[in-house]
Amino acid sequence: MRKKFFIETLGCAMNVRDSEHIIAELTQKENYELTDRLEDADLIIINTCSVREKPVHKLFSEVGVFNKRKKKGAKIGVCGCTASHLGEEIIKKAPYVNFVLGARNVSKITKAVKEDKFVDIDIDYDESTYAFSDFRSNPYKALINISIGCDKKCTFCIVPHTRGEEISIPAELILQEAKKAAKNGAKEIFLLGQNVNNYGKRFGDPNAKKMDFTDLLEMVSEIEEVERIRFTSPHPLHMDDRFLEVFAKNPKICKSMHMPLQSGSTKVLRDMKRGYTKEWFLDRALKLREMVPDVHISTDIIVGFPGESEEDFQDTLDVIRKVKFEQIFSFKYSPRPLTKAAEFENQIDPDTASRRLSEVQALHDEILDEIIPKEVGKVYEVYFEELKSGGRVGGRSDNNFLVLVEGSEELLGKFKKVKITRASRHSLFGEVLE
Ligand code: SAH
Ligand code: F3S
């Protein structure tokens, strides 16, 4: 009989892909099968995020709950960025945890499940050419890692300390994976890295073919079965003209760009060590709007970074007004251990940060109320990928709007022209034309 395991994934798309790798290794190299019922599991895994403080608190309360609900004798494993960050401390604080496996040590999962109190959080470990077994949670869209780690040292960010230095995966392996996924029905390829457009700066494999991210995008687009390419996250600093041109002209590259602004103030950006100014960001974003009129631009914003004055904050609002982002992920600054900014003296009081967060969100609602009604009447090519409640099917337009139509399974994995009949802040509703 196969043993059962349950896995919970928190955090970003890279964690989602790491969990797919864990599932693949355990089901194909070990005698495990996946269950979605925690009570039935012989092994419970939580794949954690440590970018902000909240998910860390959440970890300890969750493993406590897992421990109470688990079946007798079941093991608990903690993986991901909080595992990398806290290591052995997790077992000290929660002794019923059986293993701790860092975000850069996923390939050791088969070892971790066999040993007791296994801890491996080595951030120098190079998994860039490891051939993971194959598993995809979404048959229509394939997540593919193109690099591991991050070489930037943004002063607020813990990721370089949990995922280590940046190493690019050889293009040959990426192309092989993309071809295989596309042949198996994933018409959309989603390239993943902490800083994708820094691709090619360092390879672990000395024989890897030298190329940059723009070259890689072009090569993936040459795979016949691939119809759409998305990627996350690019860094605004590395958005040179050639990158923007290929993005604009290549028909397989989806017209949605994540441009993590963080702050609109050049002074705060300098303190964050982001490497660009307010003017550079505006120049890139507005040029992109000019080159690709229906481009969808999303962003990440941090409010209440140490030393952020009212004037600095107004600069952030100014950039939001000028770029009119279609989507904003906004966060209150959260001091993280091991980061430079956590030691800065001029921390902002939480009430001010909360007020600023509400202001960002209110301004964004105003912008959405202005831009979203203009979507009604447009016709989009939608790639359907998930069943929603109420007899609806959801898909994405090329420019990344979530589009819902009435329908069932037969739409999944298909491209259809859809006329938008109604629009809300977070999704569009439409009718299939053909
Ligand atoms: N390169 C990655 C960044 C991962 S962190 C990417 O672009 O996806 C994702 C987002 O979390 C960052 O863009 C930032 O806006 C936010 N973030 C990171 N550290 C933070 C902190 N200490 N406090 C608040 N938000 C943070
Ligand atoms: Fe973090 Fe900056 Fe890298 S946000 S993941 S250090 S680009």
Side-chain angles (χ1 to χ4, degrees):
M1 253 236 322
R2 303 197 92 189
K3 286 189 273 185
K4 291 193 162 76
F5 76 106
F6 171 93
I7 185 162
E8 176 174 67
T9 308
L10 307 173
C12 64
M14 272 140 268
N15 265 16
V16 174
R17 185 63 184 142
D18 289 344
S19 285
E20 290 181 345
H21 281 151
I22 291 173
I23 295 168
E25 294 288 297
L26 290 182
T27 54
Q28 287 164 45
K29 296 194 178 139
E30 298 295 321
N31 190 30
Y32 278 97
E33 66 185 11
L34 197 58
T35 173
D36 53 9
R37 275 181 48 89
L38 188 132
E39 290 77 4
D40 293 346
D42 303 287
L43 167 66
I44 299 166
I45 295 176
I46 177 162
N47 192 7
T48 59
C49 170
S50 62
V51 159
R52 284 167 293 277
E53 209 177 352
K54 252 199 224 145
V56 178
H57 284 314
K58 208 172 155 191
L59 166 67
F60 285 104
S61 63
E62 293 228 355
V63 286
V65 172
F66 288 172
N67 189 44
K68 287 205 188 94
R69 285 177 55 196
K70 74 175 187 188
K71 113 180 166 191
K72 201 161 165 259
K75 287 186 174 182
I76 297 180
V78 176
C79 302
C81 283
T82 310
S84 306
H85 158 213
L86 297 176
E88 223 146 312
E89 230 182 281
I90 296 176
I91 297 188
K92 283 202 188 114
K93 226 168 148 176
Y96 44 81
V97 168
N98 296 85
F99 66 84
V100 175
L101 191 64
R104 205 168 157 133
N105 303 271
V106 179
S107 60
K108 298 172 193 156
I109 184 71
T110 50
K111 208 165 161 219
V113 296
K114 284 185 273 212
E115 290 176 27
D116 196 36
K117 306 295 171 201
F118 180 93
V119 178
D120 198 337
I121 54 166
D122 180 5
I123 63 162
D124 295 321
Y125 190 62
D126 181 0
E127 288 190 320
S128 66
T129 55
Y130 183 84
F132 283 99
S133 299
D134 205 26
F135 172 82
R136 301 208 169 273
S137 43
N138 181 336
Y140 311 111
K141 177 164 77 184
L143 305 178
I144 297 183
N145 291 343
I146 67 163
S147 55
I148 57 176
C150 182
D151 265 0
K152 296 275 177 220
K153 296 270 179 300
C154 302
T155 56
F156 53 81
C157 185
I158 197 172
V159 173
H161 306 278
T162 61
R163 289 189 176 263
E165 73 175 12
E166 190 172 310
I167 302 181
S168 300
I169 294 172
E172 210 182 278
L173 299 180
I174 297 168
L175 293 170
Q176 253 173 35
E177 202 181 332
K179 269 184 206 148
K180 188 171 169 201
K183 282 212 170 79
N184 288 335
K187 294 170 191 154
E188 185 172 309
I189 299 294
F190 207 125
L191 304 175
L192 295 179
Q194 296 297 336
N195 181 0
V196 284
N197 49 349
N198 200 38
Y199 179 81
K201 290 282 151 55
R202 186 190 303 116
F203 290 98
D205 174 359
N207 300 319
K209 195 164 175 248
K210 301 276 171 286
M211 68 172 75
D212 67 11
F213 183 58
T214 310
D215 300 327
L216 180 69
L217 281 176
E218 290 194 304
M219 289 179 80
V220 176
S221 77
E222 281 159 19
I223 302 172
E224 210 185 303
E225 294 85 354
V226 170
E227 299 200 34
R228 282 186 171 182
I229 304 168
R230 299 187 192 276
F231 51 85
T232 204
S233 280
H235 194 295
L237 176 65
H238 306 299
M239 294 189 177
D240 56 29
D241 286 347
R242 183 173 154 251
F243 169 66
L244 293 187
E245 268 153 35
V246 169
F247 175 87
K249 289 198 186 123
N250 189 312
K252 288 193 183 177
I253 302 177
C254 290
K255 301 303 176 256
S256 78
M257 185 83 87
H258 188 58
M259 291 187 71
L261 168 66
Q262 314 301 358
S263 167
S265 151
T266 296
K267 178 189 149 286
V268 173
L269 287 168
R270 196 186 58 223
D271 293 345
M272 289 176 163
K273 283 214 172 10
R274 289 290 291 173
Y276 53 86
T277 58
K278 175 186 182 185
E279 288 69 30
W280 168 261
F281 187 93
L282 279 173
D283 175 77
R284 295 292 93 182
L286 299 176
K287 180 163 180 162
L288 188 61
R289 288 251 187 248
E290 202 181 287
M291 293 168 90
V292 187
D294 60 354
V295 70
H296 182 296
I297 307 182
S298 56
T299 196
D300 291 344
I301 285 172
I302 297 177
V303 297
F305 183 80
E308 182 189 64
S309 67
E310 210 47 46
E311 203 184 328
D312 294 323
F313 176 62
Q314 289 304 322
D315 275 327
T316 299
L317 297 181
D318 187 46
V319 176
I320 296 176
R321 273 188 207 102
K322 290 191 167 119
V323 180
K324 298 193 176 168
F325 299 100
E326 278 77 8
Q327 201 174 12
I328 297 183
F329 301 93
S330 50
F331 313 102
K332 259 194 284 186
Y333 168 70
S334 164
R336 307 304 300 120
L338 312 171
T339 62
K340 283 230 168 75
E343 265 134 55
F344 291 175
E345 272 167 12
N346 37 10
Q347 302 284 324
I348 301 296
D349 75 276
D351 290 346
T352 305
S354 298
R355 197 242 315 139
R356 289 178 184 166
L357 187 69
S358 311
E359 279 190 47
V360 165
Q361 290 165 353
L363 173 61
H364 191 231
D365 282 347
E366 262 176 50
I367 290 170
L368 289 178
D369 290 344
E370 176 196 329
I371 62 178
I372 293 297
K374 295 182 188 153
E375 295 300 317
V376 175
K378 285 189 186 170
V379 174
Y380 282 122
E381 178 97 352
V382 175
Y383 182 45
F384 288 99
E385 54 178 88
E386 63 178 327
L387 290 177
K388 296 281 192 182
S389 58
R392 290 196 170 118
V393 187
R396 295 272 164 183
S397 63
D398 178 294
N399 61 358
N400 208 29
F401 279 112
L402 172 62
V403 180
L404 301 170
V405 301
E406 278 176 20
S408 56
E409 291 85 18
E410 70 256 14
L411 281 175
L412 294 176
K414 302 220 170 90
F415 286 91
K416 295 279 175 192
K417 281 211 162 47
V418 174
K419 184 168 184 183
I420 305 305
T421 52
R422 191 158 66 83
S424 76
R425 280 179 191 154
H426 303 292
S427 43
L428 307 179
F429 301 84
E431 279 163 15
V432 176
L433 293 182
E434 54 177 81

